[in-house]
Amino acid sequence: MNTWIRPYVKEHKGRMLLTVLLGVLGIGSSAMLLFLSGYLISRSALRPENIMIVYVPIVAVRAFSISQAVMRYLERLVGHDVILRVLEKMRTRLYGVLRPQAIFFQSRYKTGDLLSVLSEDIEHLQDFYLRTVFPSVLSLFIYGVFIGVLGLFDWVFAVLMALVLAVIVFFIPFISLKVTRRKFIALKKGRKKLYEQLTDAVFGLSDWIASGRVASFLTNYKNDEHDLLETEKKLKRWQHIRSGMIQFCIGIAVMIMISWTGNQVNAGQLEPTLIAAFTLMMLAITDALSPTSEAVERLPAYEDSLRRLTEIENAEIPAEARFKNVQDLRQDGGVAIELRNVSYRYPESSENVIHNLSLTVDAGKKIAVLGRSGTGKSTLLKLLTGALQPTTGNVLIAGEQANQNLLATSISILNQKSHLFNTTVENNIRIGRPEATDTEVASVVGQAQLTKLVASIPLGLQTPMEEMGHRFSGGERQRIAFARVLLQQTPIIIFDEPTIGLDPKTENDLLQTMFTASKEKTVIWVTHHLAGVEQMDEIIFLEDGNIALQGNHEELLATSSKYRALYEMDRGE
Amino acid sequence: MERKKGLPSYPGSRSLYVLLTIFIVIEASAIILQAIFLARSVTFLFQGSAVSAIVQELLLFMLFFVMRHVLSHVQQLLAERFAVRTTKALREQLTSAYFKLGPRFAQVNGTGRLVTLAIEGIDQIKTYLEITIPRMIRTFIIPAVLAIYIFTLDKTSSVILIATVPIIIIFMILLGMAAQKTADAQYKTYRVLSNHFIDTLKGLETLTYLGKSEEHEGKIASVSKRYRKATMKTLRIAFLSSFALDFFTSLSIAFVAVSLGFRLIEGAAMLLPALTILVLAPEYFLPIRQVGTDYHATLDGQIALEQVEAIIQEQEFTEKPVIQSAIEWGPTSKIVFHELTVNKDDENEPILNSLHFSWEGNGIIGIVGESGAGKSTFIDIIAGFLQPASGTIEVNEEQTTSLMRPDWTTQIAYIPQHPYIFPTSIKENIRFYEPTATEEEVKRVIEEVGLDSLISQLPNKLDEQIGEGGRPLSGGQEQRIAMARALLSKRPIIILDEPTAHLDIETEYKLKQSMLRLFEGKLVFLATHRIHWMKEMDHLIVLKNGHLVANGTHKELLNREHSYKELIRHNTGRGGAL
């Protein structure tokens, strides 16, 4: 069994057993309700002189009718409570698993919604308990108890009944699992294909229309859908056959129950009043056993979720460890960042992404980093933040080997798309440093040029990010994220293309805000075009993992024809 | 959310309902007969018959028992067949509606939502049709038939059973209201709690960079705990309605049994009918209990049905332009936009306001303006993605209300900021408009757009898989694929929406050179913020708040138009003097 199931079953054994037990009591009550009803009217039909003879059954019938409902209600409550407890544990665990990998998500998984998928997987596993484990264990329990009780009367008959009912509890579920597994997989595949095709169609809508191939797409799509529907039909057909077989077994079981009681009565072994009682009870018992197949059949549905969870847990994380002795690397305070002959190679690759790069940034200096995609910009940032450790060479932040503990104390980062949490503006800003005073918050709000905006919305800083009726624009959202970063008061700040996707005017305004607010700080600014680079102390172009061009704006303009050409284009000259 | 109520009406639905009703009536009779023979077997044994004497009763019980289940499956099969047929037609209509409504529609409604609606939404409708319809009819017929039969056997029992139903309904309504009230009361906190986990996961990278991801682990546990407590609070009340259902049905059965017992003692009733009633009592409540269990499936299906029908209707109401003669663009052609207006749904101010523009022959036309000025809307109209609210377009001699017509769209190549890359090979992606193009032709365009160096590095060359799940491409490479597509198709018109702003400056520089070559001898519309494009344009259209405020060449506009100068100043991103 999987590690995403076993520990939770063990941990919540008690509550899970209680759920099943309540289920057994519920079904037991409804069986007893019918048993006693049958007994009651049979006994009454004998017209006893004294009504007190049937008094106990009368009270008991009512009691069981009530307890049946109460037990079922309690069973559902306890069952949901226990799976929510399991969910609690699983969520914490998944978070723990994902946490060290967080920085690598983007490069590792193309599909951004992997996270939603994983979170859904965990919720999906709730069904495993509610719709598969509890019902199957419950019906096993009922089966055992029922056969045991019959054994008290007549063990031969008990064995016979055990065999007949085994068809419902064991044989058909087993066959059903075998038969449906392949169909379920085919169904899933077919649905996935339909999804892909339709996503293709809708994302590539303009291309399909322009290509004049809409009709051929629709025909293809229809054919695939047809295949899927055929599989679905076969699956449904099996489900009809299956439940037909189960019903047939139930009919047989009822018949032999009647015959047995009849024979027992004739032989004087059983009171005649019990014939109706046993027969009616039989209906309640078989009702409880018949959902077993459906519960077991669902097993393949959990496999994908379990596989994904196990995979993500076993994913290798690029090593962060391997601290060299930090002490002897310390230097005096003038230098904020130093890279000494740094190379980095991803474990699975044979080529260096960063190749023998050296760079010194004095405290308070502002550096712009440019480069085409794939030249190592993002790897460089990961090295600076300590998310990656260089294969050779040293990355020093204020004299200390770069590591993730420096985040929030020495270095802070404003990303392309910082996540803003679904809470108030103030909480979002405070996440950076929860213990900050109100004055400090007000001050960073001012520095991020948010004061006017905050004053204009009714709830001010208490406005939730996702409030209906007010949506923050891209520029405003980045300013909130920037205020959050400023609140950390780190001496070094990294801007990772924070203005991408904004229109030029908004971009320009945001850049000015950023530069003004970080006047005293050391700044590393990754950017994709040249707006604002004149204000930098140094501009670096990366190429093939090393610095291809370096200097301030005037120097580069004077010495590099490439820079001149790019700059002219950027200005539109 | 809107939902579609009542029994839905589709081709074949009426005959299905009639057929189902007939089968359900027969099934109800089989249920009664099965109960009768079961009761007879038991009663005869009770009265002292030997088992061998009741074989006939037992076999008849079995016969009707099998029959009722067969009938119920037949109903299911009928409903399933109908559901498959109906949803297949619906899905077909829906998908072709997507194509007819165009990319602009997809953008507004969200691609993900539309795909989900066409797959999951339609499946929900299917479940709704195949489960809910038979059950809705059963709920009316089976209890009614059984109640009538029980009435003929014993009036009191029948009254007890019938009286239970309104009691159940009243309690269900009361409890439902109570549950709704508690749910409403804590809806906001509940939603925050339930989304907290996924929100945190999505923000994990940010938390890590803020140095706070470790601290947050404890928060997950505490929020999950609050979530559990809040959920249980709601469930305690929500489950009460099924408790009430259980409670009243089984209490009702108990009452029937007890009252029958009393009357048997008094001699006012006989065992056989009493037993028959007792067997039938749970059957009487079964359809009613089942209705409750599918409440959510029904609701989802109804909501999806409403949405699907709305989209299909929107498509039906969209006027298609009348094609008198096919448009063909050539070097001497002329296009005129007359008084184009496009309204925004929720605001009075139109996105495009009486736009008038005409152009003759080939050339590169730039569309510029601040964000929100209407650039993309105008591009959408030219590309045939959007129908203007009013105004006409004249191409050569042909007057038309919109360019959403195949003779136009097959002459344009559209290159957006992020071209869609199909999850297939490079070759197939490039041949998308021209599936019959030869490999030589593909290689030639690859060279022309500057993709040859990339492709020579790939293990599978032209057959390398790209797009979702394949080799990831950079933004510049995606643009080149789109250019290759356009080039191979030899389309006379190219439309581009902000094609280079998101690229790094070096890539942008190179790509621009390739693009300018591609533009030669074609009609090009290019919307952009990037001012370096302006000089390359043969003509510029300046939009502001939906109005065309100026047009002319870059030089002309610089000399005479203040608004253009202002725009250029903003777009240099420097804010300084020009």
Side-chain angles (χ1 to χ4, degrees):
Chain A
M1 260 224 277
N2 194 283
T3 61
W4 280 90
I5 293 174
R6 203 209 304 259
Y8 303 103
V9 174
K10 216 178 237 171
E11 199 179 339
H12 299 91
K13 235 183 338 211
R15 282 172 204 275
M16 289 190 178
L17 270 178
L18 181 64
T19 309
V20 174
L21 194 70
L22 287 167
V24 171
L25 288 177
I27 290 168
S29 298
S30 62
M32 284 312 286
L33 168 64
L34 286 179
F35 182 88
L36 285 169
S37 304
Y39 172 76
L40 174 65
I41 60 164
S42 306
R43 191 71 189 85
S44 304
L46 294 176
R47 308 193 63 184
E49 294 296 309
N50 192 342
I51 201 163
M52 289 311 281
I53 287 179
V54 290
Y55 183 71
V56 173
I58 286 174
V59 173
V61 160
R62 288 178 182 156
F64 279 120
S65 76
I66 293 168
S67 92
Q68 190 250 118
V70 172
M71 291 303 160
R72 265 189 55 77
Y73 175 69
L74 289 178
E75 178 205 351
R76 292 181 75 188
L77 274 188
V78 176
H80 278 83
D81 181 65
V82 72
I83 57 147
L84 285 171
R85 279 168 199 271
V86 170
L87 184 71
E88 212 173 292
K89 295 273 153 59
M90 282 187 169
R91 282 184 166 173
T92 312
R93 176 166 162 198
L94 180 63
Y95 183 82
V97 168
L98 293 176
R99 198 172 57 75
Q101 310 184 29
I103 292 181
F104 305 102
F105 278 151
Q106 266 193 335
S107 49
R108 187 172 290 224
Y109 308 107
K110 268 279 125 186
T111 35
D113 50 17
L114 174 83
L115 293 173
S116 329
V117 172
L118 287 171
S119 138
E120 272 166 30
D121 281 339
I122 284 192
E123 299 206 9
H124 185 52
L125 287 180
Q126 297 184 60
D127 277 351
F128 173 71
Y129 296 100
L130 277 182
R131 302 175 75 168
T132 300
V133 176
F134 296 159
S136 341
V137 175
L138 179 59
S139 66
L140 273 181
F141 232 91
I142 297 284
Y143 176 75
V145 171
F146 182 62
I147 300 301
V149 169
L150 288 184
L152 294 178
F153 290 89
D154 176 354
W155 68 267
V156 179
F157 174 65
V159 170
L160 179 67
M161 193 52 108
L163 286 176
V164 174
L165 293 185
V167 176
I168 303 176
V169 183
F170 301 109
F171 182 67
I172 297 178
F174 177 74
I175 300 277
S176 195
L177 188 60
K178 289 256 154 203
V179 172
T180 53
R181 159 169 265 141
R182 270 216 326 273
K183 295 204 177 82
F184 269 128
I185 292 170
L187 216 57
K188 209 179 246 176
K189 249 194 200 150
R191 285 173 61 90
K192 195 168 158 245
K193 195 166 169 199
L194 274 199
Y195 246 107
E196 285 168 3
Q197 276 186 322
L198 211 58
T199 310
D200 251 18
V202 181
F203 271 115
L205 211 50
S206 52
D207 294 309
W208 284 106
I209 293 173
S211 69
R213 286 168 63 189
V214 173
S216 78
F217 169 83
L218 287 176
T219 335
N220 274 341
Y221 181 75
K222 236 167 88 180
N223 287 341
D224 285 330
E225 195 199 10
H226 179 78
D227 293 345
L228 185 68
L229 289 176
E230 279 303 303
T231 321
E232 233 170 50
K233 207 162 122 191
K234 278 187 203 143
L235 190 66
K236 284 251 165 70
R237 195 181 300 148
W238 162 253
Q239 282 166 343
H240 285 297
I241 293 172
R242 183 198 67 198
S243 77
M245 291 195 303
I246 291 173
Q247 298 300 346
F248 191 77
C249 286
I250 292 177
I252 300 281
V254 172
M255 268 165 58
I256 54 176
M257 184 56 133
I258 294 176
S259 312
W260 174 74
T261 47
N263 283 329
Q264 291 292 95
V265 169
N266 284 338
Q269 303 273 0
L270 211 65
E271 287 289 317
T273 45
L274 290 180
I275 304 175
F278 271 107
T279 309
L280 288 179
M281 180 180 68
M282 195 64 211
L283 292 173
I285 297 287
T286 48
D287 254 7
L289 298 182
S290 56
T292 321
S293 300
E294 225 171 301
V296 172
E297 212 179 73
R298 301 176 65 88
L299 275 174
Y302 310 110
E303 281 169 7
D304 277 350
S305 297
L306 285 174
R307 186 180 46 75
R308 262 193 298 268
L309 288 170
T310 316
E311 256 173 34
I312 194 93
E313 199 162 32
N314 298 335
E316 266 181 59
I317 311 153
E320 182 210 328
R322 292 189 296 105
F323 270 118
K324 289 159 202 156
N325 195 350
V326 174
Q327 251 64 40
D328 57 83
L329 295 167
R330 275 201 183 280
Q331 298 187 334
D332 39 308
V335 178
I337 298 172
E338 190 180 355
L339 287 91
R340 290 189 196 154
N341 306 324
V342 171
S343 295
Y344 186 78
R345 182 190 316 156
Y346 283 97
E348 64 270 20
S349 151
S350 60
E351 267 175 77
N352 282 343
V353 188
I354 297 288
H355 188 67
N356 201 24
L357 192 148
S358 293
L359 176 70
T360 308
V361 182
D362 290 337
K365 291 285 182 222
K366 279 132 191 82
I367 314 283
V369 179
L370 289 106
R372 279 190 278 169
S373 63
T375 49
K377 277 182 297 184
S378 53
T379 310
L380 181 65
L381 291 190
K382 288 200 177 88
L383 288 166
L384 287 176
T385 54
L388 293 176
Q389 291 296 319
T391 317
T392 58
N394 287 306
V395 180
L396 304 177
I397 306 292
E400 198 174 333
Q401 176 112 18
N403 68 76
Q404 290 199 35
N405 295 330
L406 295 175
L407 288 170
T409 55
S410 295
I411 288 197
S412 53
I413 300 172
L414 181 64
N415 291 101
Q416 277 175 27
K417 269 196 181 148
S418 294
H419 186 76
L420 290 167
F421 295 88
N422 184 9
T423 168
T424 61
V425 174
E426 178 169 350
N427 282 341
N428 263 297
I429 294 174
R430 275 182 182 275
I431 287 175
R433 197 156 63 87
E435 67 280 6
T437 63
D438 286 349
T439 333
E440 285 172 317
V441 172
S443 149
V444 295
V445 167
Q447 287 177 58
Q449 312 259 326
L450 279 168
T451 318
K452 229 165 116 189
L453 171 74
V454 168
S456 74
I457 42 181
L459 291 173
L461 281 176
Q462 300 309 320
T463 309
M465 289 306 300
E466 318 246 322
E467 183 70 353
M468 305 296 273
H470 186 274
R471 281 192 57 84
F472 292 97
S473 70
E476 289 164 355
R477 294 177 72 91
Q478 273 304 43
R479 278 172 197 273
I480 294 172
F482 181 49
R484 170 163 77 190
V485 165
L486 281 177
L487 193 62
Q488 296 198 315
Q489 299 174 337
T490 57
I492 303 172
I493 194 161
I494 294 177
F495 296 122
D496 184 7
E497 306 199 46
T499 58
I500 205 159
L502 300 177
D503 68 80
K505 191 168 182 300
T506 316
E507 171 176 32
N508 183 39
D509 293 347
L510 181 58
L511 285 178
Q512 292 320 316
T513 305
M514 279 162 34
F515 294 154
T516 314
S518 42
K519 238 184 196 121
E520 311 293 316
K521 298 173 192 281
T522 311
V523 171
I524 304 283
W525 173 38
V526 176
T527 178
H528 69 289
H529 50 235
L530 294 172
V533 288
E534 303 92 334
Q535 301 173 44
M536 295 284 111
D537 296 315
E538 198 157 66
I539 302 162
I540 289 171
F541 281 82
L542 288 184
E543 210 171 296
D544 301 328
N546 210 330
I547 298 170
L549 214 58
Q550 185 173 14
N552 68 29
H553 174 64
E554 280 76 29
E555 286 165 16
L556 290 176
L557 214 51
T559 56
S560 164
S561 59
K562 177 184 166 187
Y563 183 77
R564 231 172 5 246
L566 293 178
Y567 188 70
E568 271 167 17
M569 179 178 82
D570 202 56
R571 296 211 28 136
E573 280 161 6
Chain B
M1 265 231 216
E2 286 285 318
R3 63 193 178 109
K4 184 108 185 157
K5 288 181 191 155
L7 283 176
S9 146
Y10 285 103
S13 56
R14 184 163 301 184
S15 62
L16 173 80
Y17 299 155
V18 172
L19 218 55
L20 281 180
T21 309
I22 294 170
F23 279 123
I24 290 169
V25 171
I26 304 175
E27 187 196 343
S29 319
I31 292 173
I32 292 172
L33 286 163
Q34 157 226 312
I36 291 175
F37 287 106
L38 185 68
R40 278 168 74 102
S41 315
V42 173
T43 312
F44 293 164
L45 284 178
F46 178 76
Q47 288 163 350
S49 309
V51 174
S52 54
I54 58 148
V55 169
Q56 195 191 342
E57 259 71 28
L58 276 182
L59 288 178
L60 282 169
F61 155 72
M62 192 65 191
L63 173 72
F64 290 113
F65 183 80
V66 169
M67 185 169 147
R68 68 169 283 203
H69 286 296
V70 168
L71 280 169
S72 136
H73 285 294
V74 169
Q75 293 160 32
Q76 269 306 310
L77 282 172
L78 283 174
E80 277 163 18
R81 238 184 42 202
F82 168 74
V84 166
R85 213 173 44 224
T86 308
T87 50
K88 212 163 131 182
L90 271 182
R91 193 178 272 161
E92 208 179 313
Q93 285 175 47
L94 188 66
T95 339
S96 57
Y98 289 170
F99 281 112
K100 285 190 188 123
L101 290 166
R104 173 78 172 214
F105 171 83
Q107 217 178 22
V108 171
N109 285 277
T111 311
R113 209 198 115 218
L114 294 185
V115 175
T116 313
L117 185 64
I119 307 232
E120 260 155 56
I122 296 275
D123 276 347
Q124 282 165 350
I125 296 174
K126 188 150 77 189
T127 312
Y128 164 63
L129 292 180
E130 67 191 16
I131 292 182
T132 313
I133 290 181
R135 285 209 179 145
M136 262 159 109
I137 305 177
R138 289 165 72 88
T139 316
F140 286 105
I141 297 178
I142 292 187
V145 173
L146 296 194
I148 291 168
Y149 177 71
I150 292 170
F151 188 80
T152 65
L153 295 179
D154 180 64
K155 292 192 181 58
T156 321
S157 302
S158 155
V159 169
I160 294 175
L161 292 177
I162 293 169
T164 313
V165 174
I167 295 177
I168 291 177
I169 292 173
I170 288 169
F171 265 83
M172 296 281 274
I173 291 174
L174 286 178
L175 289 168
M177 272 160 40
Q180 195 59 50
K181 216 171 135 195
T182 40
D184 285 349
Q186 50 176 347
Y187 175 71
K188 251 191 176 164
T189 20
Y190 184 77
R191 215 188 54 165
V192 171
L193 289 179
S194 70
N195 289 332
H196 175 266
F197 182 61
I198 184 70
D199 190 37
T200 311
L201 285 192
K202 284 186 174 156
L204 196 51
E205 190 184 357
T206 301
L207 282 175
T208 310
Y209 281 132
L210 289 169
K212 299 287 168 200
S213 65
E214 221 167 313
E215 279 174 43
H216 247 72
E217 195 156 327
K219 208 161 174 200
I220 296 280
S222 72
V223 172
S224 297
K225 196 171 194 166
R226 274 169 59 207
Y227 170 68
R228 169 169 61 85
K229 291 197 170 140
T231 314
M232 289 312 294
K233 213 161 143 190
T234 325
L235 288 184
R236 271 200 283 277
I237 294 171
F239 287 166
L240 270 184
S241 57
S242 58
F243 167 75
L245 196 61
D246 272 345
F247 180 80
F248 285 111
T249 52
S250 66
L251 202 61
S252 174
I253 295 171
F255 270 113
V256 167
V258 171
S259 88
L260 283 170
F262 280 131
R263 270 166 302 128
L264 280 164
I265 293 175
E266 288 162 12
M270 299 300 287
L271 180 59
L272 179 61
L275 210 48
T276 315
I277 292 169
L278 214 49
V279 175
L280 286 176
E283 303 280 1
Y284 170 82
F285 287 116
L286 194 61
I288 300 171
R289 296 166 62 121
Q290 275 174 342
V291 168
T293 57
D294 299 313
Y295 175 72
H296 280 286
T298 307
L299 192 66
D300 289 344
Q302 287 174 331
I303 290 172
L305 193 54
E306 180 66 35
Q307 290 174 347
V308 168
E309 287 194 343
I311 290 175
I312 293 173
Q313 256 174 30
E314 183 173 345
Q315 179 260 126
E316 277 165 4
F317 287 137
T318 309
E319 261 178 67
K320 291 277 149 243
V322 187
I323 300 177
Q324 273 134 14
S325 62
I327 295 172
E328 209 168 310
W329 188 264
T332 57
S333 296
K334 189 179 177 193
I335 185 164
V336 186
F337 300 93
H338 283 293
E339 306 293 312
L340 287 188
T341 299
V342 175
N343 297 312
K344 215 172 186 169
D345 285 341
D346 46 352
E347 277 163 50
N348 297 329
E349 194 73 12
I351 319 176
L352 275 189
N353 204 339
S354 313
L355 185 139
H356 187 95
F357 176 69
S358 70
W359 184 258
E360 222 176 306
N362 289 328
I364 312 172
I365 298 158
I367 300 167
V368 298
E370 307 259 338
S371 355
K375 295 194 301 286
S376 291
T377 308
F378 189 36
I379 283 281
D380 282 346
I381 289 178
I382 306 170
F385 298 161
L386 181 69
Q387 169 137 19
S390 64
T392 55
I393 300 155
E394 208 179 307
V395 188
N396 302 335
E397 302 303 307
E398 175 84 349
Q399 284 253 2
T400 181
T401 52
S402 92
L403 293 170
M404 295 176 84
R405 39 191 286 169
D407 54 338
W408 174 261
T409 51
T410 48
Q411 292 188 65
I412 59 166
Y414 173 69
I415 304 182
Q417 183 163 28
H418 296 282
Y420 185 67
I421 302 297
F422 291 90
T424 171
S425 66
I426 291 187
K427 186 162 70 185
E428 289 313 314
N429 260 295
I430 291 176
R431 292 205 299 193
F432 193 77
Y433 293 168
E434 296 289 321
T436 53
T438 64
E439 193 148 333
E440 274 58 53
E441 289 175 290
V442 174
K443 280 187 178 146
R444 190 177 50 77
V445 296
I446 280 173
E447 236 165 83
E448 275 184 65
V449 299
L451 271 174
D452 39 348
S453 64
L454 168 77
I455 286 165
S456 63
Q457 286 168 25
L458 300 176
N460 299 316
K461 309 291 178 215
L462 278 177
D463 294 315
E464 185 80 8
Q465 291 288 311
I466 51 175
E468 178 83 25
R471 173 176 292 271
L473 297 180
S474 71
Q477 289 161 348
E478 285 177 0
Q479 287 289 343
R480 287 182 198 275
I481 296 274
M483 280 162 54
R485 230 181 244 167
L487 199 60
L488 186 67
S489 67
K490 304 189 186 84
R491 309 251 163 147
I493 305 163
I494 299 178
I495 297 168
L496 304 100
D497 194 357
E498 200 66 273
T500 59
H502 62 302
L503 303 174
D504 65 87
I505 184 99
E506 291 165 84
T507 306
E508 186 178 17
Y509 186 83
K510 288 192 174 148
L511 195 66
K512 186 183 169 192
Q513 314 308 323
S514 308
M515 280 190 169
L516 288 173
R517 280 200 303 278
L518 170 69
F519 294 166
E520 278 164 26
K522 299 202 155 125
L523 175 64
V524 177
F525 290 93
L526 189 148
T528 186
H529 284 298
R530 300 286 288 157
I531 43 169
H532 62 77
W533 281 109
M534 316 286 176
K535 283 181 312 181
E536 322 291 345
M537 302 288 125
D538 296 318
H539 195 86
L540 282 160
I541 299 172
V542 185
L543 296 178
K544 194 172 183 180
N545 298 329
H547 292 277
L548 192 156
V549 288
N551 69 88
T553 64
H554 178 61
K555 265 211 182 101
E556 286 167 23
L557 289 174
L558 268 188
N559 287 334
R560 65 178 153 90
E561 286 297 329
H562 178 70
S563 60
Y564 183 69
K565 264 193 269 188
E566 192 68 9
L567 188 74
I568 295 287
R569 201 167 64 85
H570 281 312
N571 287 5
T572 48
R574 284 158 184 85
L578 194 70

